Amino acid sequence: MMSVQYLKGVGPERVKHFHHLGISTSRDLLYHFPRKYLDRTKIKKITEILNFYRSQKSTERLSSAEEETIQGKIVTISLIRTRRRKSIVKAAVSDQSGMIYATWFNQPYLKTYLTKGKKVILSGRIKLLEKPEMIAPEYEVLADDNSPPLHAGGLIPCYPLTEGLKQKFMRRTIKILLDKNIDLPEIIDDLLRKKRQLPPVEQAIRQIHFPDNNTKLATARKRFIYEELFLLQLALGLRRNRVRKSKVKYPLKISTALEERIRQRIPFTLTRSQEKVIREIKQDLLRTHPMNRLLQGDVGSGKTVVAIYASLVAIGNKTQVAFMTPTEILAEQHYQTITQLLADSRVKITLLTSGLPAAERRKRLNLIKQGRINLVIGTHSLIQKQVAFQKLSLLIIDEQHKFGVIQRSVLKQKGGNPHTLVMTATPIPRTMAMTLFGDLDISTIDELPPGRQPIKTLLRPTKKMVRALDFIRGKLKEGRQVYFVYPLIEQSDQAINQQGSLKSATQMAKYLQEKIFPEFRVTLLHGGMSEKKKDQVMQDFRSGRINILVSTVIIEVGIDVPNASIMVIDHAERYGLAQLHQLRGRIGRGTHRSYCLLFGDFTTPESKQRLNIMAETNDGFRIAEEDLRIRGPGEFLGLKQSGFPEFKIVDLHRDFDILKQTRNDAGQVLSRDPLLKQGQHRCLKEIIIKQFKNKYNAI
């Protein structure tokens, strides 16, 4: 495909702006779809517009809320200079039914471009001054060959832009390209297009940019929604096929004796759901190709025990396990839990975090390299070059959406094509499971251990906080512990606190200790503290020496204190639903009734309706679906960190039915041609390599 630099009007300087939009070739430009369309199909007679505005009451004669579009001939045009050297171009336009004036400010060149006698289309708002007038309308001179207008008539595309590019230039450049003999390969075969009622690519590409009508636009959009999802599902399928054809370096076996020894290490009865997931993982571990499985389960559902089972299978086969977490607090939590569970065993466990002293770190790295450590638990530090395993057969990644794709890939390369188990307590909506995790097998723990009480969640305006403090004091006197969560560490954090009205954890910890709960111990925890200090705070909170823990969202994962039964979240409207659900999951882990109190200024019906979902249900899957619908996949997973594809035209919530179609169709294509080597499939593969290799390492 030709570089956009060589298109008329672009050149070496303007091409840089196109690169900022990810546009390098002519194909990239054609696939830069409009974000919306201005409906300028209704061309009105000037008399109709004048009569309407003249009929309005004088108090309403301000300006129109909607655009009007007219077509006429320029009768007169003049250029006026103001005392402050500003310019005003005023044109009288007639369509034989009447005449209206159009005015543009500081565009003196229009005097020589919009000359008397030219036929034009104008689209803009009407303002009532002495008489109705169009102020700064978009304009287009009609060509003599009756070609359709680009800017002021019909359905007008509006594109995502960057500084240095204007809508008119983008429309004109794309139109020039479309007027050439475009050579876009047809990547969806005829049978599939007929089955799904999709237009050919060249027809669809013209209609999505400059549609004849809304029906043809809808058909073109459907074509490219299907195409985008189809390519994604093929990329995931290629990766899935590649994994299944590869071989693990260290095959695992599960003897009856090993199974019994592992079971003896689990001090409680597993739920039916946990047993089902363990059976699925066992089948994976016994195969010669690597497991590639996602384990999802709501907060407190018992995923860690399942991970321990898989770890002990690998360790029982004299191999090593790497267990990666996104935060040091969560790594510490897993280390303590697993160490206690395996206290009198021969399993050697170590914790590898960035806060280790240099000498101790070197010691642990040597033990890992020599194979004398069976299970390594750590954060991002596990992916560093210095970390080398002797015999890594299993990789476990907790809260996996906190890691980028490249980070996960680097860790996999440290082993002999290891089995991989990724876990999340953020329930994955079906739409996301079929996109981001389409190359993984998915296991779900869909029940909580017996004895867990549902958490009562209450939504309250900030002004009612005082009444809640008395309730909290009563629970503290009963011996319970409490979390208070705030969005800022310091009040001066203006990057977030632009309005200067958000409370900070530091400020509120002092206030709660000195003014509200002087008889109890209040302590602060946040991500800016040293690891040693954070560990000490958490140890004191677990032991009950701290009554109230004031924190930021650092406690979102990895905190397990059964005696903590109240969670107070201030400025709750600033958090996503999935994050609120994760925070709420820090309580309800013991036998005491637990309460989550959401405070905020719910100024809009939308914010209150959104947060009411938290009060209505503890079902993480329902909450996750709603959060995805409201915020979109990027914010839901933590922006680009997640490796989630940036769709050009797809809306997962809206287009779920098409997603299911493409998953089925891509599976059928790959069953016939697993490596995409036949006919037009070769072109498909080239496009997939370009679009998805860095995200999915698909080929």
Side-chain angles (χ1 to χ4, degrees):
M1 279 287 179
M2 176 179 64
S3 169
V4 290
Q5 178 177 336
Y6 303 111
L7 293 175
K8 183 179 178 181
V10 179
E13 288 302 316
R14 200 171 255 158
V15 75
K16 297 174 184 176
H17 303 310
F18 280 91
H19 290 166
H20 289 158
L21 293 171
I23 300 171
S24 298
T25 68
S26 55
R27 184 184 188 278
D28 296 337
L29 181 57
L30 291 176
Y31 275 77
H32 187 68
F33 299 132
R35 57 181 173 83
K36 67 175 184 178
Y37 300 83
L38 301 176
D39 188 350
R40 293 173 176 168
T41 57
K42 298 175 182 176
I43 297 177
K44 292 185 178 179
K45 294 291 185 182
I46 292 175
T47 300
E48 181 184 352
I49 295 172
L50 295 178
N51 289 341
F52 173 78
Y53 285 100
R54 285 168 180 160
S55 70
Q56 303 302 299
K57 296 178 182 178
S58 59
T59 56
E60 297 174 352
R61 291 187 179 185
L62 297 174
S63 61
S64 61
E66 298 181 0
E67 284 191 343
E68 305 284 7
T69 300
I70 64 167
Q71 180 176 330
K73 182 183 291 186
I74 295 177
V75 178
T76 64
I77 187 163
S78 59
L79 172 62
I80 304 166
R81 295 285 184 182
T82 68
R83 291 179 180 179
R84 296 184 178 181
R85 303 185 65 81
K86 303 291 185 182
S87 66
I88 301 174
V89 173
K90 188 178 289 284
V93 179
S94 170
D95 67 355
Q96 296 184 341
S97 78
M99 187 173 71
I100 194 169
Y101 281 95
T103 303
W104 294 270
F105 300 97
N106 299 315
Q107 299 179 64
Y109 60 88
L110 292 180
K111 172 66 169 60
T112 56
Y113 180 63
L114 300 176
T115 55
K116 180 179 177 179
K118 283 191 174 180
K119 295 179 181 179
V120 293
I121 287 184
L122 303 181
S123 291
R125 294 183 179 182
I126 305 295
K127 190 166 186 178
L128 291 166
L129 301 170
E130 294 180 358
K131 60 186 77 174
E133 195 169 316
M134 296 189 87
I135 303 298
E138 283 217 40
Y139 60 88
E140 185 162 0
V141 176
L142 293 176
D144 294 333
D145 60 1
N146 295 319
S147 58
L150 290 182
H151 312 297
L155 292 171
I156 307 302
C158 292
Y159 296 92
L161 298 177
T162 188
E163 187 176 357
L165 294 176
K166 303 292 184 183
Q167 288 292 350
K168 282 192 172 183
F169 177 78
M170 184 66 82
R171 289 176 199 139
R172 190 161 52 246
T173 304
I174 291 175
K175 183 65 167 61
I176 290 170
L177 183 56
L178 287 171
D179 286 344
K180 295 176 178 289
N181 292 322
I182 57 173
D183 183 24
L184 284 177
E186 180 55 81
I187 61 177
I188 305 175
D189 66 52
D190 293 343
L191 289 176
L192 201 48
R193 280 196 297 106
K194 185 175 181 180
K195 175 183 176 183
R196 299 303 182 191
Q197 298 181 313
L198 304 173
V201 64
E202 290 202 9
Q203 176 185 323
I205 206 74
R206 295 180 191 279
Q207 289 299 320
I208 202 165
H209 287 291
F210 301 105
D212 294 336
N213 52 52
N214 282 307
T215 300
K216 290 185 178 180
L217 171 59
T219 303
R221 285 181 58 83
K222 179 185 174 184
R223 150 80 200 213
F224 291 113
I225 289 168
Y226 179 94
E227 180 178 311
E228 191 166 26
L229 290 171
F230 183 58
L231 288 170
L232 172 63
Q233 292 302 321
L234 285 171
L236 292 168
L238 284 170
R239 176 182 160 89
R240 189 165 53 243
N241 288 348
R242 191 189 68 173
V243 169
R244 288 176 178 172
K245 286 185 178 181
S246 63
K247 302 291 184 183
V248 295
K249 187 174 181 180
Y250 308 112
L252 303 179
K253 296 180 180 180
I254 307 175
S255 65
T256 303
L258 177 58
E259 174 81 18
E260 290 176 355
R261 291 205 309 272
I262 294 173
R263 293 286 180 170
Q264 289 170 2
R265 288 289 166 189
I266 302 175
F268 47 80
T269 303
L270 298 176
T271 64
R272 285 175 297 179
S273 189
Q274 285 172 315
E275 290 285 10
K276 174 180 67 70
V277 169
I278 283 176
R279 286 195 299 272
E280 292 168 347
I281 291 173
K282 279 175 64 176
Q283 291 173 359
D284 287 347
L285 295 177
L286 291 172
R287 295 190 177 107
T288 57
H289 64 259
M291 172 174 70
N292 204 28
R293 185 168 292 275
L294 168 68
L295 171 58
Q296 63 173 340
D298 219 335
V299 175
S301 60
K303 296 180 298 298
T304 303
V305 173
V306 174
I308 291 172
Y309 177 94
S311 299
L312 291 177
V313 169
I315 294 168
N317 280 266
K318 303 187 185 307
T319 62
Q320 293 170 293
V321 179
F323 197 138
M324 187 165 74
T325 72
T327 67
E328 300 209 356
I329 285 182
L330 184 53
E332 177 71 31
Q333 180 78 46
H334 282 313
Y335 178 75
Q336 291 188 0
T337 299
I338 297 173
T339 300
Q340 290 172 7
L341 197 65
L342 305 178
D344 56 346
S345 73
R346 290 178 293 175
V347 176
K348 303 299 181 184
I349 310 170
T350 196
L351 184 65
L352 199 62
T353 60
S354 59
L356 283 173
E360 179 61 25
R361 180 178 176 78
R362 284 195 299 271
K363 177 183 174 183
R364 296 186 188 187
L365 288 174
N366 284 331
L367 292 173
I368 295 168
K369 188 174 183 179
Q370 294 166 11
R372 294 165 63 186
I373 297 294
N374 309 117
L375 173 59
V376 184
I377 302 172
T379 56
H380 302 74
S381 57
L382 291 183
I383 70 174
Q384 294 174 350
K385 287 183 179 180
Q386 304 94 316
V387 183
F389 294 85
Q390 185 190 68
K391 207 173 183 181
L392 180 64
S393 71
L394 175 63
L395 168 60
I396 299 172
I397 302 175
D398 200 6
E399 294 304 327
Q400 62 77 40
H401 62 277
K402 301 285 186 179
F403 296 99
V405 174
I406 293 175
Q407 290 169 312
R408 300 196 291 268
S409 178
V410 168
L411 190 50
K412 287 184 180 183
Q413 292 169 13
K414 291 179 179 289
N417 208 12
H419 295 289
T420 302
L421 178 66
V422 297
M423 305 194 299
T424 181
T426 301
I428 307 299
R430 291 181 303 163
T431 49
M432 193 171 292
M434 292 171 66
T435 51
L436 184 59
F437 307 113
D439 60 327
L440 275 69
D441 298 307
I442 299 179
S443 293
T444 302
I445 301 178
D446 54 10
E447 62 179 319
L448 295 177
R452 288 287 178 92
Q453 294 190 46
I455 299 167
K456 186 172 181 60
T457 301
L458 302 171
L459 192 63
R460 296 289 184 267
T462 302
K463 62 185 179 182
K464 292 191 177 181
M465 175 73 82
V466 174
R467 187 183 302 176
L469 294 176
D470 291 334
F471 170 75
I472 292 168
R473 180 174 283 104
K475 294 299 179 183
L476 287 167
K477 288 180 179 179
E478 293 176 9
R480 305 289 78 75
Q481 291 167 281
V482 181
Y483 297 101
F484 278 81
V485 179
Y486 297 94
L488 304 178
I489 297 175
E490 299 282 355
Q491 191 67 36
S492 61
D493 189 353
Q494 292 299 319
I496 302 175
N497 192 19
Q498 295 177 355
Q499 297 177 346
S501 60
L502 298 182
K503 299 169 191 169
S504 71
T506 303
Q507 166 201 18
M508 293 307 297
K510 182 178 180 182
Y511 175 75
L512 291 170
Q513 179 68 90
E514 295 178 357
K515 304 293 185 183
I516 307 300
F517 300 112
E519 69 272 39
F520 297 103
R521 186 180 175 192
V522 180
T523 302
L524 177 67
L525 177 71
H526 60 74
M529 298 165 61
S530 68
E531 295 306 318
K532 183 176 180 182
K533 178 64 175 174
K534 284 189 285 191
D535 290 344
Q536 186 60 55
V537 169
M538 285 313 306
Q539 287 176 18
D540 289 347
F541 191 57
R542 289 189 195 99
S543 67
R545 291 191 291 272
I546 294 172
N547 309 105
I548 299 171
L549 187 65
V550 180
S551 181
T552 57
V553 293
I554 190 175
I555 63 166
E556 180 184 352
V557 294
I559 307 297
D560 187 1
V561 181
N563 191 50
S565 63
I566 297 179
M567 168 74 67
V568 179
I569 304 175
D570 211 348
H571 302 293
E573 72 279 1
R574 296 186 64 87
Y575 300 92
L577 294 180
Q579 190 170 46
L580 288 173
H581 183 61
Q582 285 278 352
L583 288 166
R584 179 171 63 180
R586 300 310 104 207
I587 58 176
R589 293 173 169 260
T591 57
H592 308 289
R593 183 67 185 269
S594 294
Y595 302 85
C596 180
L597 309 179
L598 303 178
F599 288 94
D601 296 318
F602 313 117
T603 54
T604 65
E606 292 79 10
S607 64
K608 191 166 185 178
Q609 181 183 16
R610 183 173 70 87
L611 290 171
N612 272 334
I613 297 167
M614 293 294 297
E616 292 170 5
T617 183
N618 285 292
D619 182 350
F621 289 93
R622 181 186 166 196
I623 290 169
E625 287 280 3
E626 186 67 14
D627 206 26
L628 176 63
R629 183 186 68 80
I630 293 170
R631 296 196 299 153
E635 282 191 66
F636 179 88
L637 284 175
L639 303 177
K640 296 181 182 180
Q641 172 72 5
S642 65
F644 198 86
E646 297 171 34
F647 291 120
K648 293 178 181 292
I649 197 169
V650 167
D651 178 319
L652 284 178
H653 188 78
R654 179 197 64 203
D655 302 324
F656 184 58
D657 287 342
I658 298 179
L659 173 60
K660 290 190 291 186
Q661 291 176 1
T662 59
R663 184 175 175 84
N664 179 67
D665 294 345
Q668 291 184 12
V669 168
L670 289 171
S671 67
R672 298 191 302 268
D673 185 7
L675 298 178
L676 297 182
K677 288 185 174 181
Q678 301 170 11
Q680 67 192 109
H681 292 168
R682 291 196 297 272
C683 179
L684 267 175
K685 190 167 184 178
E686 290 174 6
I687 294 172
I688 290 168
I689 290 172
K690 180 180 178 183
Q691 290 189 206
F692 297 110
K693 186 171 184 180
N694 290 337
K695 290 183 180 297
Y696 291 98
N697 196 21
I699 311 303

